[in-house]
Amino acid sequence: MATGHSPLDQFKIKALVPIDFAGLDVSFTNSSLYMVIAVTLVTLFFTLSMRGRALVPGRWQSLAEVTYEFIAGTLRDTVGSEGRRYFPFIFTAFMFVLMANLLGMTPFGFTTTSHIIVTFALAFFIFIMITVVSIYLHGSRFFAHFLPEGTPWWLAPLMILIEVFSYLSRPISLSVRLSANMMAGHVLLKVIAGFVTLFITALGAFNGTLAGILPFAFVVGLTGFEIFIAILQAYIFTVLTCVYLNGAIHMH
Amino acid sequence: MAKHQISLEELDDKINKAKKNNKELSKHKSDPEDKSGGAAAARAGLEFFSGVLAGSMLGYFIDKWLGTAPIFIVICLLLGSAAGMLNIYRFMNDS
């Protein structure tokens, strides 16, 4: 077990299987392990619960169908019927982020999405995909989007630059939102949970335990809140991806 | 009896019109965050910070590529903050 006392020790990357590929460190880390667990759990959940294919769904099948319909409905509402071809991608992104967030809430679980590089990789590829889709669908009119209608000629160069930066800030905001929420939530959990033992060491066994009931109760409530935030942030990530996709397909 | 019978074409027209209305209504649905209160404030702060971060990252890499030490960082930081404010204006006005 780790002997770290800092609330930030939970985010440390540990190489479980050190692999060195031509000087690059591509070890199988605890982050990779939890990503594999997330993908395995999502795959198992959907294949096993839909195995019965009952017309009147049982509990597991109902859960799978509700999740499917939820994201399909969100995609239909934001993009419309042209968005159906992107549904596998959007659904995969949602389920991966959701399962990775929820796995971080398990005891001793590692939150893969709390690292900015993980969420930035996701957001970067989503950004590239949406740009490619936009260029493929609209051709050179995609670049005309960077000059809004009605700007005076002397403001045009500055406006184009600002619009480009505004477009480039989308993957950053998408990734920072998710990772900052996850990291802040987990740091808060560890810090307040640390208060319980802090009170015991500071005030002695009996007084400390009595005083430690308050942060303990708070941590219990905060854990429930963090589970809600995990699900909500996965949903917000997906909805904003759908909104950007809608902008790429329709607004030009 | 003939007066109350609606023809299949008229029914088809009505269904298509209703579908179109539905589609237009759902297209105006904005993202789930409320436009008033703490969620909007968090979104505004995040958008501004992302604009500044995107601008400074781009400026830093342009500077590394061209070797012009802090010029592009400063310019792109200012442009990035302007872009962040434009983002805030855009999503606030969407409600």
Side-chain angles (χ1 to χ4, degrees):
Chain A
M1 238 339 71
T3 54
H5 299 292
S6 159
L8 295 177
D9 275 347
Q10 56 180 317
F11 301 119
K12 260 203 205 139
I13 297 280
K14 302 183 197 92
L16 299 175
V17 179
I19 307 173
D20 185 59
F21 182 70
L24 289 171
D25 182 18
V26 285
S27 328
F28 189 76
T29 62
N30 50 356
S31 183
S32 327
L33 176 69
Y34 272 87
M35 288 191 217
V36 167
I37 294 177
V39 171
T40 310
L41 282 179
V42 172
T43 312
L44 280 179
F45 170 59
F46 280 102
T47 48
L48 290 182
S49 61
M50 295 304 291
R51 200 129 62 108
R53 289 195 185 95
L55 204 58
V56 178
R59 279 195 304 250
W60 284 103
Q61 186 178 333
S62 187
L63 196 58
E65 288 182 3
V66 160
T67 316
Y68 181 96
E69 192 51 50
F70 181 53
I71 296 298
T74 305
L75 188 61
R76 206 182 315 125
D77 284 342
T78 45
V79 185
S81 53
E82 297 95 352
R84 275 178 64 189
R85 63 174 71 177
Y86 304 102
F87 177 75
F89 178 75
I90 300 287
F91 192 63
T92 309
F94 172 72
M95 286 313 297
F96 178 73
V97 172
L98 177 70
M99 195 55 75
N101 288 354
L102 286 178
L103 277 176
M105 292 310 300
T106 57
F108 300 110
F110 180 82
T111 324
T112 46
T113 42
S114 65
H115 287 271
I116 184 84
I117 191 61
V118 172
T119 57
F120 184 68
L122 281 171
F124 179 70
F125 279 104
I126 289 177
F127 172 71
I128 295 291
M129 178 197 92
I130 289 178
T131 310
V132 165
V133 162
S134 196
I135 295 183
Y136 178 74
L137 285 178
H138 300 280
S140 56
R141 272 173 38 220
F142 165 72
F143 297 99
H145 160 70
F146 288 124
L147 185 63
E149 300 208 350
T151 47
W153 62 269
W154 42 274
L155 204 53
L158 190 65
M159 206 53 210
I160 295 177
L161 277 176
I162 294 183
E163 283 285 345
V164 167
F165 275 100
S166 165
Y167 187 71
L168 289 177
S169 76
R170 279 183 185 177
I172 309 264
S173 78
L174 207 55
S175 54
V176 166
R177 180 186 294 112
L178 180 57
S179 69
N181 267 291
M182 286 300 112
M183 177 174 270
H186 283 265
V187 168
L188 199 60
L189 272 177
K190 292 293 187 293
V191 165
I192 296 183
F195 285 165
V196 180
T197 52
L198 196 68
F199 283 171
I200 292 180
T201 53
L203 301 175
F206 182 69
N207 291 336
T209 315
L210 223 55
I213 291 179
L214 196 61
F216 184 75
F218 191 67
V219 161
V220 171
L222 193 65
T223 305
F225 180 67
E226 281 303 317
I227 295 177
F228 166 68
I229 288 287
I231 302 175
L232 181 71
Q233 285 303 318
Y235 173 64
I236 289 180
F237 188 86
T238 312
V239 163
L240 279 171
T241 304
C242 295
V243 168
Y244 295 154
L245 191 63
N246 181 36
I249 297 179
H250 288 138
M251 290 315 169
H252 291 80
Chain B
M1 188 178 59
K3 262 189 251 179
H4 295 293
Q5 249 181 0
I6 188 171
S7 74
L8 278 176
E9 289 94 25
E10 287 178 33
L11 191 59
D12 206 9
D13 262 339
K14 276 195 182 178
I15 291 179
N16 285 336
K17 229 177 270 177
K19 262 195 207 164
K20 221 181 289 183
N21 276 345
N22 231 5
K23 221 193 275 190
E24 281 176 10
L25 280 175
S26 55
K27 264 199 197 137
H28 287 305
K29 227 187 259 192
S30 44
D31 59 29
E33 300 174 35
D34 195 14
K35 289 306 184 288
S36 64
R43 175 93 194 261
L46 181 74
E47 293 282 353
F48 182 72
F49 172 71
S50 307
V52 171
L53 192 64
S56 48
M57 268 172 48
L58 196 66
Y60 174 72
F61 283 120
I62 294 181
D63 262 347
K64 259 180 75 169
W65 176 46
L66 292 178
T68 59
I71 302 179
F72 274 104
I73 294 184
V74 171
I75 295 178
C76 291
L77 197 124
L78 291 173
L79 283 176
S81 52
M85 290 190 246
L86 183 68
N87 279 346
I88 297 178
Y89 173 74
R90 286 251 170 87
F91 98 84
M92 276 298 192
N93 262 1
D94 232 359
S95 51

